[in-house]
Amino acid sequence: MKGIAKSLLTTLSTFSRKPVTRDYPNVHKTLPERDRAFPLLLWDQEIDEPFCTGCHACERACPVECMTVLMKDNPNHKSVGGTSSRRKIIDKFWIDYARCMRCNICVEVCNFDAIAMNNTWTGHETSVHDRKDLVMDLQMLLSQSHAGAIKEWVPVIGQTNE
Amino acid sequence: MVTERAREFDTQDLLINVGPQHPSTHGVFRMVLEIDGELVKDVIPYIGYLHRGAEKLCETMDYRQGIGFMDRTEYLAAFNAELSYVMAVEALAGLEVPERAQWIRMILCELNRISSHFMFMGAFGVDTGVMGTPFIYGWREREGIIDLFEEISGDRMMYAYFRPGGLAWDVTTNFKARVREVLKSITQGIKDFDGLFTENEIFVARTKGVGYISAEDAIDYGMSGPSLRASGVPMDVRKDEPYLKYSEIDFKVITGEHGDVFDRYHCRLQELRESVKIIEQCLAKMPDTGPIMPEKMPRMLRTPPGEVYLRTEAPRGEYGVYLVSNGGNRPYRLKVRSACLSNLQALKQMSVGQYVADAILVLGSIDIVLSEVDR
């Protein structure tokens, strides 16, 4: 009987504690800076074009082959009277969010810091009715960064805190 | 006349199917029980419902890409699974891991062991028939640990944080303070489970003497981890073949006496306390600053030809990675020795002669994770 009383006391003691649960769809937890949801592309606000040059580095490094990249000549390049120093620029970009396993490798291999993992709640709440809707095109991938709605965290591999 | 009378009480064996979609099988595991009344006469397990071919997939990927798949071979303790793979690659490539990275790895692995054991406590409590309460307690404690992991690695379950050579990036600046904070809540959680179960007469009556396996049989079946130690065999890879910095740490190998379901539970509970002790020592010894990767790392890691078998102590037992390289940037052959598959072999030995409800208990007591069994 002593043991049962002890276990009942244990459950009773939780009444005095604060609840650890959240009213989820109404209350969102603040996500840490490093949170990794699905990858998205970043927008160069200075020149007003994407950072991505379509170099295929992420496409080749992706373990699950969820990306498709096509590049084109930059119509805004200096040689044709534009303001950008990027000779090539991204033309079409698809990421299949249904296949992506959020391993962060695309971010690591990118030479232009053009891709980042989404660390906001929009990256987590991606439920759709059809799997086809999870294939994101260039416009969808860029929109969040274009609107300035993301403060991305792009790690350098092996970096220390100093 | 006697035979006639005996025939009257003859019973027919009944085959019942448990799983694969059954909440008590902890995943997609199917077993066919041959029962005589309430007694189990035979158990036929069927595995493979969660087979994803992770080993073969890794052979088509370079070493960095493989880490993500190794995470998924054991989703409750992904740090431990990563560690075995990464250490095998390091052993093959001859990489020296910086000291600070080793301490961080140890802390994270032990925390992951704790989170996995809490998950066991919760699920096992439900198996014994306690509705809900322990499960929620287990999740509550696990949540704190997972939040910490998310702050460090970015993901809650599939971390992809260990890399051949060290760590992907540094821990947060308030790492030590955060771990201490989590340890505090863990200590309270261990107390809760201790109070809830260990002396509870109903729980003891339900679990003592159920699912017995002797030390000899357990060794013969190739069991490892807490399931083996509960039978009284002090086998722990952390002690027998110290890896990382375990040789500098003072901890006990917990063993049971009876090898029954209760001992398997009690071993894990005491192991939680040992893990807390290990983490506290690690925190005291870990340097605050320093490199986490060797200075010169190639962009694409290639290993010289050779083979290596490296084992570590995962929450469920010995997690080994056998890696063969033929000199390229990807494994020629990768074989994962998972503790769960070996522990599962003893299921029949442990549950024959028990009641049907006990068969579920026995399955729960070896802390089965189906992603690790099928890979």
mmCIF file of all heavy atoms in Angstrom, chain B residues 141-178:
data_model
loop_
_atom_site.group_PDB
_atom_site.id
_atom_site.type_symbol
_atom_site.label_atom_id
_atom_site.label_comp_id
_atom_site.label_asym_id
_atom_site.label_seq_id
_atom_site.Cartn_x
_atom_site.Cartn_y
_atom_site.Cartn_z
ATOM 1 N N GLU B 141 9.427 15.218 -20.098
ATOM 2 C CA GLU B 141 10.875 15.321 -19.887
ATOM 3 C C GLU B 141 11.619 15.329 -21.213
ATOM 4 O O GLU B 141 12.589 16.053 -21.394
ATOM 5 C CB GLU B 141 11.361 14.152 -19.030
ATOM 6 C CG GLU B 141 10.688 14.033 -17.683
ATOM 7 C CD GLU B 141 10.728 15.334 -16.894
ATOM 8 O OE1 GLU B 141 11.690 16.097 -17.055
ATOM 9 O OE2 GLU B 141 9.774 15.574 -16.133
ATOM 10 N N ARG B 142 11.132 14.495 -22.139
ATOM 11 C CA ARG B 142 11.801 14.389 -23.427
ATOM 12 C C ARG B 142 11.721 15.715 -24.176
ATOM 13 O O ARG B 142 12.649 16.105 -24.884
ATOM 14 C CB ARG B 142 11.121 13.283 -24.228
ATOM 15 C CG ARG B 142 11.770 12.943 -25.527
ATOM 16 C CD ARG B 142 11.174 11.661 -26.050
ATOM 17 N NE ARG B 142 11.603 11.418 -27.418
ATOM 18 C CZ ARG B 142 10.900 11.794 -28.472
ATOM 19 N NH1 ARG B 142 9.760 12.412 -28.310
ATOM 20 N NH2 ARG B 142 11.340 11.553 -29.683
ATOM 21 N N GLU B 143 10.617 16.403 -24.016
ATOM 22 C CA GLU B 143 10.406 17.668 -24.722
ATOM 23 C C GLU B 143 11.505 18.680 -24.381
ATOM 24 O O GLU B 143 12.041 19.348 -25.265
ATOM 25 C CB GLU B 143 9.027 18.209 -24.346
ATOM 26 C CG GLU B 143 8.598 19.450 -25.101
ATOM 27 C CD GLU B 143 8.384 19.206 -26.584
ATOM 28 O OE1 GLU B 143 8.170 18.051 -26.955
ATOM 29 O OE2 GLU B 143 8.464 20.177 -27.338
ATOM 30 N N GLY B 144 11.857 18.761 -23.094
ATOM 31 C CA GLY B 144 12.901 19.695 -22.688
ATOM 32 C C GLY B 144 14.216 19.396 -23.364
ATOM 33 O O GLY B 144 14.927 20.301 -23.817
ATOM 34 N N ILE B 145 14.540 18.087 -23.440
ATOM 35 C CA ILE B 145 15.801 17.696 -24.069
ATOM 36 C C ILE B 145 15.765 18.010 -25.557
ATOM 37 O O ILE B 145 16.721 18.530 -26.134
ATOM 38 C CB ILE B 145 16.066 16.197 -23.830
ATOM 39 C CG1 ILE B 145 16.088 15.894 -22.341
ATOM 40 C CG2 ILE B 145 17.365 15.780 -24.463
ATOM 41 C CD1 ILE B 145 16.106 14.437 -22.013
ATOM 42 N N ILE B 146 14.638 17.718 -26.187
ATOM 43 C CA ILE B 146 14.536 17.930 -27.634
ATOM 44 C C ILE B 146 14.600 19.417 -27.964
ATOM 45 O O ILE B 146 15.211 19.812 -28.963
ATOM 46 C CB ILE B 146 13.251 17.267 -28.157
ATOM 47 C CG1 ILE B 146 13.471 15.761 -28.251
ATOM 48 C CG2 ILE B 146 12.870 17.812 -29.503
ATOM 49 C CD1 ILE B 146 12.293 15.005 -28.722
ATOM 50 N N ASP B 147 14.017 20.250 -27.097
ATOM 51 C CA ASP B 147 14.124 21.698 -27.319
ATOM 52 C C ASP B 147 15.587 22.129 -27.302
ATOM 53 O O ASP B 147 16.007 22.963 -28.110
ATOM 54 C CB ASP B 147 13.350 22.450 -26.224
ATOM 55 C CG ASP B 147 11.868 22.511 -26.540
ATOM 56 O OD1 ASP B 147 11.505 22.194 -27.680
ATOM 57 O OD2 ASP B 147 11.084 22.867 -25.641
ATOM 58 N N LEU B 148 16.348 21.547 -26.385
ATOM 59 C CA LEU B 148 17.781 21.868 -26.317
ATOM 60 C C LEU B 148 18.476 21.450 -27.604
ATOM 61 O O LEU B 148 19.279 22.197 -28.179
ATOM 62 C CB LEU B 148 18.406 21.167 -25.109
ATOM 63 C CG LEU B 148 19.918 21.256 -24.983
ATOM 64 C CD1 LEU B 148 20.343 22.684 -24.730
ATOM 65 C CD2 LEU B 148 20.420 20.352 -23.879
ATOM 66 N N PHE B 149 18.157 20.238 -28.081
ATOM 67 C CA PHE B 149 18.766 19.757 -29.327
ATOM 68 C C PHE B 149 18.416 20.672 -30.492
ATOM 69 O O PHE B 149 19.222 20.909 -31.377
ATOM 70 C CB PHE B 149 18.287 18.335 -29.636
ATOM 71 C CG PHE B 149 18.855 17.289 -28.730
ATOM 72 C CD1 PHE B 149 18.294 16.033 -28.666
ATOM 73 C CD2 PHE B 149 19.958 17.563 -27.961
ATOM 74 C CE1 PHE B 149 18.820 15.066 -27.835
ATOM 75 C CE2 PHE B 149 20.494 16.607 -27.123
ATOM 76 C CZ PHE B 149 19.922 15.352 -27.065
ATOM 77 N N GLU B 150 17.179 21.176 -30.467
ATOM 78 C CA GLU B 150 16.752 22.036 -31.568
ATOM 79 C C GLU B 150 17.547 23.340 -31.563
ATOM 80 O O GLU B 150 17.910 23.858 -32.604
ATOM 81 C CB GLU B 150 15.252 22.313 -31.440
ATOM 82 C CG GLU B 150 14.662 22.950 -32.683
ATOM 83 C CD GLU B 150 13.226 23.344 -32.498
ATOM 84 O OE1 GLU B 150 12.723 23.286 -31.367
ATOM 85 O OE2 GLU B 150 12.604 23.725 -33.496
ATOM 86 N N GLU B 151 17.812 23.844 -30.359
ATOM 87 C CA GLU B 151 18.589 25.075 -30.279
ATOM 88 C C GLU B 151 19.994 24.887 -30.812
ATOM 89 O O GLU B 151 20.589 25.801 -31.372
ATOM 90 C CB GLU B 151 18.669 25.550 -28.820
ATOM 91 C CG GLU B 151 17.454 26.319 -28.369
ATOM 92 C CD GLU B 151 17.420 26.446 -26.868
ATOM 93 O OE1 GLU B 151 18.490 26.609 -26.258
ATOM 94 O OE2 GLU B 151 16.314 26.363 -26.301
ATOM 95 N N ILE B 152 20.551 23.684 -30.612
ATOM 96 C CA ILE B 152 21.932 23.452 -31.009
ATOM 97 C C ILE B 152 22.034 23.049 -32.470
ATOM 98 O O ILE B 152 22.754 23.654 -33.250
ATOM 99 C CB ILE B 152 22.557 22.356 -30.116
ATOM 100 C CG1 ILE B 152 22.648 22.844 -28.684
ATOM 101 C CG2 ILE B 152 23.920 21.976 -30.628
ATOM 102 C CD1 ILE B 152 22.832 21.742 -27.708
ATOM 103 N N SER B 153 21.276 22.016 -32.842
ATOM 104 C CA SER B 153 21.472 21.445 -34.170
ATOM 105 C C SER B 153 20.460 21.974 -35.177
ATOM 106 O O SER B 153 20.703 21.926 -36.372
ATOM 107 C CB SER B 153 21.379 19.928 -34.107
ATOM 108 O OG SER B 153 20.047 19.534 -33.912
ATOM 109 N N GLY B 154 19.320 22.464 -34.716
ATOM 110 C CA GLY B 154 18.333 22.983 -35.634
ATOM 111 C C GLY B 154 17.163 22.055 -35.862
ATOM 112 O O GLY B 154 16.126 22.486 -36.314
ATOM 113 N N ASP B 155 17.328 20.789 -35.568
ATOM 114 C CA ASP B 155 16.225 19.872 -35.801
ATOM 115 C C ASP B 155 15.880 19.147 -34.508
ATOM 116 O O ASP B 155 16.693 19.047 -33.611
ATOM 117 C CB ASP B 155 16.596 18.865 -36.881
ATOM 118 C CG ASP B 155 15.385 18.479 -37.696
ATOM 119 O OD1 ASP B 155 14.354 18.144 -37.106
ATOM 120 O OD2 ASP B 155 15.480 18.510 -38.923
ATOM 121 N N ARG B 156 14.652 18.667 -34.449
ATOM 122 C CA ARG B 156 14.202 18.043 -33.208
ATOM 123 C C ARG B 156 14.536 16.569 -33.130
ATOM 124 O O ARG B 156 14.745 16.028 -32.054
ATOM 125 C CB ARG B 156 12.701 18.246 -33.044
ATOM 126 C CG ARG B 156 12.321 19.687 -32.849
ATOM 127 C CD ARG B 156 10.839 19.862 -32.938
ATOM 128 N NE ARG B 156 10.144 19.224 -31.846
ATOM 129 C CZ ARG B 156 10.018 19.748 -30.640
ATOM 130 N NH1 ARG B 156 10.524 20.913 -30.389
ATOM 131 N NH2 ARG B 156 9.376 19.110 -29.693
ATOM 132 N N MET B 157 14.541 15.885 -34.243
ATOM 133 C CA MET B 157 14.837 14.449 -34.194
ATOM 134 C C MET B 157 15.960 14.007 -35.121
ATOM 135 O O MET B 157 16.761 13.167 -34.770
ATOM 136 C CB MET B 157 13.569 13.646 -34.499
ATOM 137 C CG MET B 157 12.655 13.541 -33.317
ATOM 138 S SD MET B 157 11.119 12.772 -33.754
ATOM 139 C CE MET B 157 11.502 11.061 -33.499
ATOM 140 N N MET B 158 16.000 14.558 -36.336
ATOM 141 C CA MET B 158 17.006 14.122 -37.308
ATOM 142 C C MET B 158 18.089 15.190 -37.376
ATOM 143 O O MET B 158 18.027 16.090 -38.208
ATOM 144 C CB MET B 158 16.352 13.931 -38.676
ATOM 145 C CG MET B 158 15.153 13.033 -38.653
ATOM 146 S SD MET B 158 15.585 11.410 -38.087
ATOM 147 C CE MET B 158 13.975 10.744 -37.736
ATOM 148 N N TYR B 159 19.083 15.051 -36.496
ATOM 149 C CA TYR B 159 19.950 16.197 -36.241
ATOM 150 C C TYR B 159 20.936 16.491 -37.364
ATOM 151 O O TYR B 159 21.172 17.631 -37.698
ATOM 152 C CB TYR B 159 20.700 15.977 -34.930
ATOM 153 C CG TYR B 159 19.772 15.515 -33.840
ATOM 154 C CD1 TYR B 159 19.810 14.224 -33.353
ATOM 155 C CD2 TYR B 159 18.821 16.381 -33.323
ATOM 156 C CE1 TYR B 159 18.925 13.807 -32.376
ATOM 157 C CE2 TYR B 159 17.941 15.968 -32.352
ATOM 158 C CZ TYR B 159 17.999 14.672 -31.877
ATOM 159 O OH TYR B 159 17.139 14.257 -30.934
ATOM 160 N N ALA B 160 21.558 15.455 -37.948
ATOM 161 C CA ALA B 160 22.622 15.640 -38.952
ATOM 162 C C ALA B 160 23.652 16.647 -38.445
ATOM 163 O O ALA B 160 24.020 17.588 -39.139
ATOM 164 C CB ALA B 160 22.039 16.080 -40.297
ATOM 165 N N TYR B 161 24.093 16.452 -37.230
ATOM 166 C CA TYR B 161 24.946 17.442 -36.564
ATOM 167 C C TYR B 161 26.398 16.971 -36.435
ATOM 168 O O TYR B 161 27.313 17.776 -36.493
ATOM 169 C CB TYR B 161 24.357 17.740 -35.189
ATOM 170 C CG TYR B 161 25.092 18.777 -34.389
ATOM 171 C CD1 TYR B 161 25.255 20.066 -34.887
ATOM 172 C CD2 TYR B 161 25.617 18.470 -33.154
ATOM 173 C CE1 TYR B 161 25.930 21.013 -34.152
ATOM 174 C CE2 TYR B 161 26.282 19.418 -32.404
ATOM 175 C CZ TYR B 161 26.444 20.685 -32.909
ATOM 176 O OH TYR B 161 27.109 21.624 -32.185
ATOM 177 N N PHE B 162 26.611 15.680 -36.243
ATOM 178 C CA PHE B 162 27.982 15.173 -36.201
ATOM 179 C C PHE B 162 28.483 15.008 -37.629
ATOM 180 O O PHE B 162 27.767 14.555 -38.503
ATOM 181 C CB PHE B 162 28.026 13.803 -35.506
ATOM 182 C CG PHE B 162 27.636 13.853 -34.059
ATOM 183 C CD1 PHE B 162 27.311 12.690 -33.385
ATOM 184 C CD2 PHE B 162 27.597 15.042 -33.374
ATOM 185 C CE1 PHE B 162 26.948 12.722 -32.056
ATOM 186 C CE2 PHE B 162 27.237 15.084 -32.047
ATOM 187 C CZ PHE B 162 26.911 13.914 -31.387
ATOM 188 N N ARG B 163 29.722 15.389 -37.833
ATOM 189 C CA ARG B 163 30.320 15.229 -39.150
ATOM 190 C C ARG B 163 31.627 14.470 -38.982
ATOM 191 O O ARG B 163 32.249 14.550 -37.920
ATOM 192 C CB ARG B 163 30.633 16.598 -39.781
ATOM 193 C CG ARG B 163 29.437 17.448 -40.064
ATOM 194 C CD ARG B 163 28.570 16.779 -41.098
ATOM 195 N NE ARG B 163 27.171 17.164 -40.914
ATOM 196 C CZ ARG B 163 26.598 18.181 -41.528
ATOM 197 N NH1 ARG B 163 27.282 18.916 -42.347
ATOM 198 N NH2 ARG B 163 25.335 18.453 -41.320
ATOM 199 N N PRO B 164 32.057 13.729 -40.015
ATOM 200 C CA PRO B 164 33.386 13.125 -39.911
ATOM 201 C C PRO B 164 34.403 14.219 -39.607
ATOM 202 O O PRO B 164 34.506 15.195 -40.347
ATOM 203 C CB PRO B 164 33.602 12.524 -41.301
ATOM 204 C CG PRO B 164 32.239 12.272 -41.812
ATOM 205 C CD PRO B 164 31.371 13.347 -41.239
ATOM 206 N N GLY B 165 35.089 14.098 -38.483
ATOM 207 C CA GLY B 165 36.068 15.107 -38.087
ATOM 208 C C GLY B 165 35.624 15.924 -36.898
ATOM 209 O O GLY B 165 36.446 16.508 -36.217
ATOM 210 N N GLY B 166 34.360 15.994 -36.623
ATOM 211 C CA GLY B 166 33.927 16.803 -35.482
ATOM 212 C C GLY B 166 32.452 17.093 -35.530
ATOM 213 O O GLY B 166 31.637 16.193 -35.685
ATOM 214 N N LEU B 167 32.120 18.370 -35.414
ATOM 215 C CA LEU B 167 30.727 18.786 -35.414
ATOM 216 C C LEU B 167 30.494 19.740 -36.576
ATOM 217 O O LEU B 167 31.419 20.371 -37.066
ATOM 218 C CB LEU B 167 30.390 19.510 -34.102
ATOM 219 C CG LEU B 167 30.741 18.790 -32.814
ATOM 220 C CD1 LEU B 167 30.580 19.735 -31.649
ATOM 221 C CD2 LEU B 167 29.859 17.590 -32.631
ATOM 222 N N ALA B 168 29.242 19.834 -36.988
ATOM 223 C CA ALA B 168 28.942 20.696 -38.133
ATOM 224 C C ALA B 168 29.184 22.151 -37.779
ATOM 225 O O ALA B 168 29.802 22.880 -38.532
ATOM 226 C CB ALA B 168 27.502 20.488 -38.574
ATOM 227 N N TRP B 169 28.660 22.584 -36.638
ATOM 228 C CA TRP B 169 28.908 23.955 -36.208
ATOM 229 C C TRP B 169 28.932 23.969 -34.692
ATOM 230 O O TRP B 169 28.619 22.985 -34.039
ATOM 231 C CB TRP B 169 27.860 24.916 -36.761
ATOM 232 C CG TRP B 169 26.460 24.430 -36.628
ATOM 233 C CD1 TRP B 169 25.693 24.492 -35.515
ATOM 234 C CD2 TRP B 169 25.676 23.774 -37.633
ATOM 235 N NE1 TRP B 169 24.474 23.918 -35.767
ATOM 236 C CE2 TRP B 169 24.429 23.479 -37.054
ATOM 237 C CE3 TRP B 169 25.894 23.419 -38.967
ATOM 238 C CZ2 TRP B 169 23.419 22.831 -37.757
ATOM 239 C CZ3 TRP B 169 24.883 22.786 -39.652
ATOM 240 C CH2 TRP B 169 23.665 22.510 -39.057
ATOM 241 N N ASP B 170 29.321 25.099 -34.147
ATOM 242 C CA ASP B 170 29.524 25.151 -32.711
ATOM 243 C C ASP B 170 28.184 25.147 -31.963
ATOM 244 O O ASP B 170 27.152 25.504 -32.516
ATOM 245 C CB ASP B 170 30.312 26.416 -32.357
ATOM 246 C CG ASP B 170 31.126 26.204 -31.092
ATOM 247 O OD1 ASP B 170 30.768 25.305 -30.327
ATOM 248 O OD2 ASP B 170 32.111 26.921 -30.898
ATOM 249 N N VAL B 171 28.260 24.753 -30.698
ATOM 250 C CA VAL B 171 27.050 24.815 -29.876
ATOM 251 C C VAL B 171 26.756 26.277 -29.546
ATOM 252 O O VAL B 171 27.594 27.154 -29.740
ATOM 253 C CB VAL B 171 27.229 24.006 -28.564
ATOM 254 C CG1 VAL B 171 27.244 22.533 -28.858
ATOM 255 C CG2 VAL B 171 28.458 24.436 -27.832
ATOM 256 N N THR B 172 25.565 26.512 -29.020
ATOM 257 C CA THR B 172 25.221 27.886 -28.664
ATOM 258 C C THR B 172 26.085 28.354 -27.498
ATOM 259 O O THR B 172 26.635 27.553 -26.744
ATOM 260 C CB THR B 172 23.745 27.971 -28.254
ATOM 261 O OG1 THR B 172 23.472 26.901 -27.354
ATOM 262 C CG2 THR B 172 22.838 27.844 -29.455
ATOM 263 N N THR B 173 26.188 29.660 -27.325
ATOM 264 C CA THR B 173 27.098 30.184 -26.296
ATOM 265 C C THR B 173 26.617 29.857 -24.882
ATOM 266 O O THR B 173 27.421 29.752 -23.966
ATOM 267 C CB THR B 173 27.244 31.712 -26.445
ATOM 268 O OG1 THR B 173 25.984 32.268 -26.776
ATOM 269 C CG2 THR B 173 28.267 32.069 -27.503
ATOM 270 N N ASN B 174 25.316 29.699 -24.718
ATOM 271 C CA ASN B 174 24.809 29.392 -23.379
ATOM 272 C C ASN B 174 24.606 27.888 -23.191
ATOM 273 O O ASN B 174 23.759 27.457 -22.405
ATOM 274 C CB ASN B 174 23.497 30.143 -23.123
ATOM 275 C CG ASN B 174 22.420 29.753 -24.111
ATOM 276 O OD1 ASN B 174 22.704 29.081 -25.099
ATOM 277 N ND2 ASN B 174 21.205 30.142 -23.842
ATOM 278 N N PHE B 175 25.403 27.101 -23.922
ATOM 279 C CA PHE B 175 25.211 25.653 -23.927
ATOM 280 C C PHE B 175 25.244 25.045 -22.527
ATOM 281 O O PHE B 175 24.333 24.338 -22.108
ATOM 282 C CB PHE B 175 26.293 25.028 -24.806
ATOM 283 C CG PHE B 175 26.293 23.532 -24.835
ATOM 284 C CD1 PHE B 175 25.231 22.842 -25.383
ATOM 285 C CD2 PHE B 175 27.366 22.811 -24.336
ATOM 286 C CE1 PHE B 175 25.231 21.463 -25.425
ATOM 287 C CE2 PHE B 175 27.373 21.426 -24.370
ATOM 288 C CZ PHE B 175 26.303 20.759 -24.925
ATOM 289 N N LYS B 176 26.309 25.379 -21.770
ATOM 290 C CA LYS B 176 26.475 24.730 -20.462
ATOM 291 C C LYS B 176 25.323 25.072 -19.531
ATOM 292 O O LYS B 176 24.788 24.206 -18.824
ATOM 293 C CB LYS B 176 27.793 25.166 -19.830
ATOM 294 C CG LYS B 176 28.983 24.418 -20.401
ATOM 295 C CD LYS B 176 30.241 24.710 -19.617
ATOM 296 C CE LYS B 176 31.376 23.890 -20.164
ATOM 297 N NZ LYS B 176 32.641 24.148 -19.481
ATOM 298 N N ALA B 177 24.942 26.349 -19.538
ATOM 299 C CA ALA B 177 23.842 26.761 -18.657
ATOM 300 C C ALA B 177 22.556 26.047 -19.038
ATOM 301 O O ALA B 177 21.790 25.603 -18.176
ATOM 302 C CB ALA B 177 23.653 28.277 -18.749
ATOM 303 N N ARG B 178 22.318 25.905 -20.349
ATOM 304 C CA ARG B 178 21.101 25.255 -20.809
ATOM 305 C C ARG B 178 21.082 23.772 -20.436
ATOM 306 O O ARG B 178 20.061 23.239 -20.013
ATOM 307 C CB ARG B 178 20.959 25.424 -22.327
ATOM 308 C CG ARG B 178 20.442 26.747 -22.762
ATOM 309 C CD ARG B 178 18.955 26.903 -22.459
ATOM 310 N NE ARG B 178 18.125 26.121 -23.363
ATOM 311 C CZ ARG B 178 17.163 25.296 -22.969
ATOM 312 N NH1 ARG B 178 16.930 25.129 -21.703
ATOM 313 N NH2 ARG B 178 16.441 24.625 -23.836
#
